[in-house]
Every structure is written in C-alpha cells, then in structure tokens.
Amino acid sequence: MTQITEYRVTDFDCPTCASNVERALSKADGVERVEVHYTTGRVEIEFDETAVDADRLERAITNQGYTPRPR
C-alpha cells in the first residue's frame, strides 16, 4: 500500500544538500517518488509501506547530516 509522508528539513545549506537527501531517499527500497525543495525545506516521499517504514526514511535523512521534522 502506498503512503505519502512529509518532513521539514530546515538545515540545508545549499541546493546540493537537498539533492544529496533526495538521492539517498530515492535509493531506499520501497520509495516510489521523492521531492525535496531546497528553499522551503519540504521533503515529500511516496513509498510502499510494506517495503519500508517512515523511521527508515527519517534515518536516511539523518544519515545525510540533516534533521527531519514530521509535518
């Protein structure tokens, strides 16, 4: 079953930071679509909840050095 979750990440320093997070999330199993907006810090992830859970997605963002806050 597909689910959409959103986070706010306010500690991006540059567009490359947002691209790195988007790339890391895109590589996670079960992720179907990712949008990361550098200027607003909005991260929207569409994923298959039978393949991955929101905690793992949060860890993927944290592992890139940023702090995700659920919206």
Side-chain angles (χ1 to χ4, degrees):
M1 175 173 244
T2 300
Q3 184 172 345
I4 296 175
T5 190
E6 288 187 19
Y7 297 96
R8 167 109 26 209
V9 178
T10 58
D11 46 356
F12 288 141
D13 291 327
C14 64
T16 302
C17 300
S19 294
N20 290 340
V21 168
E22 187 168 300
R23 188 175 18 257
L25 289 167
S26 296
K27 290 180 180 177
D29 290 337
V31 172
E32 299 174 1
R33 183 181 58 83
V34 178
E35 289 183 25
V36 179
H37 301 271
Y38 162 68
T39 55
T40 63
R42 187 171 68 86
V43 177
E44 183 176 307
I45 309 163
E46 186 173 337
F47 62 100
D48 180 351
E49 66 183 348
T50 62
V52 65
D53 61 21
D55 289 341
R56 184 164 177 218
L57 299 173
E58 283 187 37
R59 280 194 306 275
I61 297 170
T62 301
N63 288 343
Q64 292 297 309
Y66 305 99
T67 307
R69 301 190 198 301
R71 292 189 66 185

